[in-house]
Amino acid sequence: MYRAPVEEIAFTLKHVAGLKPALDAGTFGDLGEDLVDAILAEAGRFAGEEVAPLYKIGDEQGAVLSGAAVTMPPGWKELYRRWIDGGWNALSAPEEFGGQALPTMLGVAALEMWNSAAMAFGIGPTLTMGAVEALDKHASPALKAKYLEKLVSGEWTGTMNLTEPQAGSDLNALRARAEPAGDGTYRIFGQKIFITYGEHDLTDNIIHLVLARLPGAPAGTRGLSLFLVPKFLVGDNGALGARNDVFCSGLEHKLGIHASPTCTMIYGDGFEGTAPGAIGWLIGEENKGLACMFTMMNNARLAVGMQGVAVAETATQKALAYANERRQGKTASYDGSGMAPIVHHPDVQRNLLTMKALTQIARAISYCCAHAIDHARVSVGDEAVHWQERANLLTPLAKAFSTDVGVEVASLGLQVHGGMGYIEETGAAALYRDARIAPIYEGTNGIQAIDLVARKLPLGGGEHVHGYIAELKAVANQARTSNLQGFGRTADGLDQALDDLSQATRFLQGLLADGRSDAALAGATPYLRLISLAAGGAYLARGALADQSRIAICRFFAENLLGEASALKERVIGGAESLAAAGQTLISA
């Protein structure tokens, strides 16, 4: 059974990501460590005692579609009610609409715990929180007044409707259309696929945010507008009215997260005799919908990164517990009777330590991204620009690296379990199945790597990333000069990885400056892993400097795993030509 690592989460927030200095400086008003600790403790209790016990039934029974209605697994509706009664949906939402306006750092920490306990549960509120942010920043006062309070409380949920069967990740190809009705509303027509929590019975209304094209709109993404389309129309007094012309026509049968309903949504088909055309309201300006939706998508990308961290944490806990119970063979380190627990075997230890280290660095990167988001919000002038650029830089790392880690760690967890991991009874296989979607949705990890190289490396005239690397090098230097026992060759490993990162960064920036974007993008995926590993090593060192009990895992990572950085640099710098040549052999005539 999952047990929330509250102390580990609190330590990473405070001493690695920077929450404690921010609290000491009064950055978040009266928020203090006592309240932070209380929130984390209660979130951990709720995740472990309330959410986790319903994980298995959710995985085994899943969400069920009957007609156009989706029924959630037994106990999930009651669980969701207890969750919103606890105020968890409102944690980081604006106070104006009933939220608690707490830092994003606390929100993502709690999100980690919900997803560790049951990823299929945690993803639902993720979309609602993203909808709240998009409406708060872009919607009219009238729409905010009518919808935000119930979305903030969680009484209603929100969705994000982007892709369509012919479009995939290419939003240029979207065909859903919107027609002005002449009364300030629009009629929406089209099909959307892969819509998470598009239909369910947890709440009595669902608020869909839908990308569609207006008549005469420009081609491509420049012609997309964003619309609010409720499942049930809402009166001026807040009461629910008639059913809108939107329904779920299908539910995907997925590899994992079975309790999360992944829906095909139909708009404007005359559902149950209604007049054709789903009634919607414009959010923001016409043809500026993608900018509005990106507010929601960026929120979702960090949240999906937390899913990777979350599954990695649960997989590590499960594997470590099994390794201490399972007995097999003999080892020199075990002086007990009978066979040794497999945790004594060096190869099992290597797997477990790799799982632990990767989980910690993915958590640190994600929390540092949240830290940057928080500081961008409360800062002004150049400082606000700096923190926004830092958040922009770290978002693709948090999403892509963390979700890759989720899959990698869940796979290692299966290996530690051996044959028992490959069958469903232990639960290790379910975690692997759940984890596999996270590198795919909210922008595939390849797209995140493209975004990192093409859009984020040029930030600040190309110098922001080098300032970030300099900050990481300062941590490496602190480890070298600390005189603390046990660091071994950690500083050497960090210096080498950060030098590799600097070389790879300048190489890619040079390609971009010369207009050789294809060559630069050929190295994008290895570059994303390179910068993540180098940053992660520095974050482990930062934690070890604050708490010497962490030196051992920091050294293990630096001396056993961080050497991958040099190979990644070579792939970035020398791999483009061979990739292009070999890639041609894959293309059919």
Side-chain angles (χ1 to χ4, degrees), residues 17 28 53 61 87 96 102-104 162 173-174 178 187 191 221 256 293 303 315 352 478 529 544 550 581:
F28 305 116
Q61 297 196 23
E96 180 183 357
L102 290 167
T104 302
L162 283 79
L174 295 184
R187 298 298 178 265
Q191 179 184 25
T221 58
M293 186 64 89
L352 290 168
Q478 290 171 18
R529 186 168 177 89
R550 296 169 174 270

CSV table of all heavy atoms in Angstrom, one decimal, residues 17 28 53 61 87 96 102-104 162 173-174 178 187 191 221 256 293 303 315 352 478 529 544 550 581:
chain,number,residue,atom,x,y,z
A,17,ALA,N,14.1,23.0,-3.9
A,17,ALA,CA,13.4,23.8,-4.9
A,17,ALA,C,13.4,25.3,-4.4
A,17,ALA,O,13.2,26.2,-5.2
A,17,ALA,CB,12.0,23.3,-5.1
A,28,PHE,N,5.2,34.7,0.2
A,28,PHE,CA,3.8,34.3,0.1
A,28,PHE,C,3.0,34.7,1.3
A,28,PHE,O,2.2,34.0,1.8
A,28,PHE,CB,3.8,32.8,-0.1
A,28,PHE,CG,4.6,32.2,-1.2
A,28,PHE,CD1,5.7,31.4,-1.0
A,28,PHE,CD2,4.3,32.6,-2.6
A,28,PHE,CE1,6.4,30.9,-2.1
A,28,PHE,CE2,5.1,32.2,-3.6
A,28,PHE,CZ,6.1,31.3,-3.4
A,53,PRO,N,-6.7,2.9,-1.3
A,53,PRO,CA,-7.5,1.7,-1.2
A,53,PRO,C,-8.4,1.5,-2.4
A,53,PRO,O,-8.9,0.3,-2.6
A,53,PRO,CB,-8.3,1.9,0.1
A,53,PRO,CG,-7.4,2.8,0.9
A,53,PRO,CD,-6.9,3.8,-0.1
A,61,GLN,N,-12.0,-2.7,-12.6
A,61,GLN,CA,-13.4,-2.5,-13.2
A,61,GLN,C,-13.4,-1.3,-14.2
A,61,GLN,O,-14.2,-1.4,-15.1
A,61,GLN,CB,-14.4,-2.3,-12.0
A,61,GLN,CG,-14.5,-3.5,-11.1
A,61,GLN,CD,-15.7,-3.5,-10.2
A,61,GLN,OE1,-16.7,-2.8,-10.6
A,61,GLN,NE2,-15.6,-4.2,-9.1
A,87,GLY,N,-11.5,20.5,0.4
A,87,GLY,CA,-11.0,21.7,-0.2
A,87,GLY,C,-9.8,21.5,-1.1
A,87,GLY,O,-9.1,22.5,-1.5
A,96,GLU,N,-10.6,35.0,-5.2
A,96,GLU,CA,-11.8,35.7,-5.6
A,96,GLU,C,-13.0,34.7,-5.9
A,96,GLU,O,-14.2,35.1,-5.7
A,96,GLU,CB,-11.5,36.5,-6.9
A,96,GLU,CG,-12.7,37.3,-7.4
A,96,GLU,CD,-12.3,38.0,-8.7
A,96,GLU,OE1,-11.1,37.9,-9.1
A,96,GLU,OE2,-13.2,38.6,-9.3
A,102,LEU,N,-2.9,29.3,-2.6
A,102,LEU,CA,-1.6,28.8,-2.1
A,102,LEU,C,-0.6,28.6,-3.3
A,102,LEU,O,-1.0,28.5,-4.5
A,102,LEU,CB,-1.8,27.5,-1.4
A,102,LEU,CG,-2.5,27.7,0.0
A,102,LEU,CD1,-2.9,26.3,0.5
A,102,LEU,CD2,-1.6,28.4,1.0
A,103,PRO,N,0.7,28.6,-3.0
A,103,PRO,CA,1.7,28.5,-4.1
A,103,PRO,C,1.5,27.2,-5.0
A,103,PRO,O,1.0,26.2,-4.5
A,103,PRO,CB,3.0,28.4,-3.4
A,103,PRO,CG,2.8,29.1,-2.1
A,103,PRO,CD,1.3,28.8,-1.7
A,104,THR,N,1.9,27.4,-6.2
A,104,THR,CA,1.8,26.2,-7.1
A,104,THR,C,2.6,25.1,-6.6
A,104,THR,O,2.3,23.9,-6.8
A,104,THR,CB,2.4,26.6,-8.5
A,104,THR,OG1,1.6,27.7,-9.0
A,104,THR,CG2,2.3,25.5,-9.5
A,162,LEU,N,-9.0,19.3,-27.5
A,162,LEU,CA,-8.1,19.7,-28.6
A,162,LEU,C,-8.2,18.8,-29.8
A,162,LEU,O,-8.7,19.2,-30.8
A,162,LEU,CB,-6.6,19.8,-28.2
A,162,LEU,CG,-6.2,21.0,-27.3
A,162,LEU,CD1,-6.6,20.8,-25.9
A,162,LEU,CD2,-4.7,21.1,-27.4
A,173,ALA,N,-4.5,20.9,-38.2
A,173,ALA,CA,-5.5,20.1,-39.0
A,173,ALA,C,-6.8,20.0,-38.3
A,173,ALA,O,-7.7,19.3,-38.8
A,173,ALA,CB,-4.9,18.7,-39.1
A,174,LEU,N,-7.1,20.8,-37.3
A,174,LEU,CA,-8.4,20.7,-36.6
A,174,LEU,C,-9.5,21.2,-37.5
A,174,LEU,O,-9.3,22.2,-38.2
A,174,LEU,CB,-8.4,21.6,-35.3
A,174,LEU,CG,-7.4,21.1,-34.2
A,174,LEU,CD1,-7.6,22.0,-33.0
A,174,LEU,CD2,-7.7,19.7,-33.8
A,178,ALA,N,-17.2,26.5,-35.4
A,178,ALA,CA,-18.1,27.3,-34.5
A,178,ALA,C,-18.8,28.3,-35.4
A,178,ALA,O,-18.2,29.0,-36.2
A,178,ALA,CB,-17.3,28.0,-33.4
A,187,ARG,N,-22.5,28.2,-32.0
A,187,ARG,CA,-22.9,26.8,-32.2
A,187,ARG,C,-21.7,26.0,-32.6
A,187,ARG,O,-21.1,26.3,-33.7
A,187,ARG,CB,-24.1,26.6,-33.1
A,187,ARG,CG,-25.4,27.3,-32.8
A,187,ARG,CD,-25.9,26.8,-31.4
A,187,ARG,NE,-27.1,27.6,-31.1
A,187,ARG,CZ,-27.1,28.6,-30.2
A,187,ARG,NH1,-26.0,29.1,-29.8
A,187,ARG,NH2,-28.3,29.3,-29.9
A,191,GLN,N,-16.1,16.6,-33.8
A,191,GLN,CA,-15.7,15.5,-33.0
A,191,GLN,C,-14.4,15.7,-32.4
A,191,GLN,O,-13.4,16.2,-33.0
A,191,GLN,CB,-15.7,14.2,-33.9
A,191,GLN,CG,-15.3,13.0,-33.1
A,191,GLN,CD,-15.2,11.7,-34.0
A,191,GLN,OE1,-14.9,11.9,-35.2
A,191,GLN,NE2,-15.4,10.6,-33.5
A,221,THR,N,-3.1,27.1,-37.0
A,221,THR,CA,-3.4,27.4,-35.6
A,221,THR,C,-3.8,28.9,-35.4
A,221,THR,O,-4.4,29.2,-34.4
A,221,THR,CB,-2.2,27.1,-34.7
A,221,THR,OG1,-1.1,27.8,-35.2
A,221,THR,CG2,-1.9,25.6,-34.8
A,256,GLY,N,-3.7,1.3,-19.6
A,256,GLY,CA,-3.7,1.6,-18.2
A,256,GLY,C,-4.7,2.7,-17.8
A,256,GLY,O,-5.6,3.0,-18.6
A,293,MET,N,-5.6,28.4,-24.7
A,293,MET,CA,-5.5,27.0,-24.4
A,293,MET,C,-4.1,26.7,-23.8
A,293,MET,O,-4.0,25.8,-23.0
A,293,MET,CB,-5.8,26.2,-25.6
A,293,MET,CG,-5.9,24.7,-25.3
A,293,MET,SD,-7.2,24.2,-24.2
A,293,MET,CE,-8.6,23.9,-25.3
A,303,ALA,N,1.7,19.2,-14.5
A,303,ALA,CA,0.9,18.2,-13.8
A,303,ALA,C,1.1,16.8,-14.3
A,303,ALA,O,1.2,15.9,-13.5
A,303,ALA,CB,-0.6,18.5,-13.9
A,315,ALA,N,6.2,2.9,-7.5
A,315,ALA,CA,6.9,1.8,-7.9
A,315,ALA,C,8.1,1.5,-7.1
A,315,ALA,O,8.5,0.3,-6.8
A,315,ALA,CB,7.3,2.0,-9.4
A,352,LEU,N,17.3,-0.7,-7.3
A,352,LEU,CA,16.6,0.1,-6.3
A,352,LEU,C,17.1,1.5,-6.2
A,352,LEU,O,16.4,2.5,-6.1
A,352,LEU,CB,16.5,-0.6,-5.0
A,352,LEU,CG,15.7,-1.9,-5.0
A,352,LEU,CD1,16.0,-2.7,-3.7
A,352,LEU,CD2,14.2,-1.6,-5.0
A,478,GLN,N,30.2,24.0,-4.6
A,478,GLN,CA,29.9,23.9,-3.1
A,478,GLN,C,30.2,22.5,-2.6
A,478,GLN,O,30.7,22.3,-1.5
A,478,GLN,CB,28.5,24.3,-2.9
A,478,GLN,CG,28.2,25.8,-3.0
A,478,GLN,CD,26.7,26.1,-2.9
A,478,GLN,OE1,25.9,25.3,-2.4
A,478,GLN,NE2,26.3,27.3,-3.5
A,529,ARG,N,17.3,14.9,-22.2
A,529,ARG,CA,17.8,14.0,-21.1
A,529,ARG,C,19.1,14.5,-20.5
A,529,ARG,O,19.3,14.4,-19.3
A,529,ARG,CB,17.9,12.6,-21.6
A,529,ARG,CG,18.2,11.6,-20.5
A,529,ARG,CD,18.1,10.2,-21.0
A,529,ARG,NE,18.4,9.2,-19.9
A,529,ARG,CZ,17.6,8.7,-19.0
A,529,ARG,NH1,16.3,9.1,-19.0
A,529,ARG,NH2,18.0,7.9,-18.1
A,544,ALA,N,22.0,17.1,-0.6
A,544,ALA,CA,23.0,16.5,0.2
A,544,ALA,C,23.8,17.5,1.1
A,544,ALA,O,24.2,17.3,2.2
A,544,ALA,CB,24.0,15.7,-0.6
A,550,ARG,N,21.9,12.4,2.9
A,550,ARG,CA,21.6,12.3,1.5
A,550,ARG,C,22.9,12.2,0.6
A,550,ARG,O,22.7,12.1,-0.6
A,550,ARG,CB,20.8,13.4,1.0
A,550,ARG,CG,19.4,13.5,1.7
A,550,ARG,CD,18.7,14.8,1.5
A,550,ARG,NE,17.3,14.7,2.0
A,550,ARG,CZ,16.3,14.3,1.4
A,550,ARG,NH1,16.4,13.9,0.1
A,550,ARG,NH2,15.1,14.1,2.0
A,581,ALA,N,20.8,10.2,-42.6
A,581,ALA,CA,21.0,9.2,-43.6
A,581,ALA,C,20.3,7.9,-43.4
A,581,ALA,O,19.6,7.4,-44.3
A,581,ALA,CB,22.6,8.9,-43.6
